[in-house]
Amino acid sequence: MKFFIDTANIEQIKEAQDLGVLDGVTTNPSLMAKEGITGRENIEAHYKKICDIVDGDVSAEVISTDFDGMMEEAEHLAALHPQIVVKIPMIKEGVKVIKKLKEKGIRTNCTLVFSPGQALLAAKAGATYVSPFIGRLDDISSDGVKLVQQIVDMYNYYGFDTQVLAASIRHTQHIIQVMEVGADVATCPLQPILGLLKHPLTDSGLEKFLADHRKAGEKVGAAK
Ligand code: G3P
């Protein structure tokens, strides 16, 4: 399973990249706004900066919601860097745009997906990735992980190439759960990724190893 970090924060992207397990980055207009990145030139420069930090795919989302506007933005974003994957919302005009971009060889990430039906349309349109938002489903007492499983099973059964990119991940256990149901990618904030490192038995085990080592050294020293 691939790990993407879901942020536009350069420092967090660098920290995740330095860990050596990062496969890409996803952003969205809210994450870009959170970093204070506004204006077409600044936004494009920021995407290029992210592409220079990581080796994998970087999702950059369009703002337009009409066909022509999304097409213009998508072609412009894709031309910025080979790592750019254009994020298109799951709306009627978005499905048409994904289909057209597929014909042009431009890779897409269909975002704001909340149902198997939407995921089916994304795959049939030729999206490179589909982004089911599991956290937002959990937030309204729906089962986000179950949606990921439904999509994975549907895509495997029909042989769709679209990769399932589990998004809106709230915590470390979400990563484990989407891995267990076969998601191709999990995109999440830095903390859930770092949470995978943590286990109290690792900490206590290492502490004992080092304490025993020190004691043995003391005994050797005393015997001399
Ligand atoms: O960036 C797409 C998605 O991961 C955002 O999810 O619910 O944390 O805003 P959320």
Side-chain angles (χ1 to χ4, degrees), residues 1 3 134 145-146 148-150 152-153 156 166 169 172-186 196:
M1 186 173 81
F3 270 143
I134 71 172
V145 174
K146 184 179 177 186
V148 173
Q149 182 164 21
Q150 287 176 300
V152 168
D153 293 347
N156 288 340
I169 285 183
T172 301
Q173 187 58 16
H174 263 164
I175 299 176
I176 304 300
Q177 290 170 328
V178 297
M179 180 178 62
E180 287 173 336
V181 297
D184 297 291
V185 188
L196 293 169

Side-chain angles (χ1 to χ4, degrees), residues 6 28 31 87 133 136 167-168 170 187:
D6 193 35
N28 65 42
L31 292 172
K87 250 187 176 181
F133 279 34
R136 296 192 190 186
S168 185
R170 294 278 192 270
T187 193

Side-chain angles (χ1 to χ4, degrees), residues 86-98:
V86 184
K87 250 187 176 181
I88 306 290
M90 173 36 74
I91 56 177
K92 184 178 180 182
E93 294 307 299
V95 173
K96 295 178 188 175
V97 165
I98 290 169

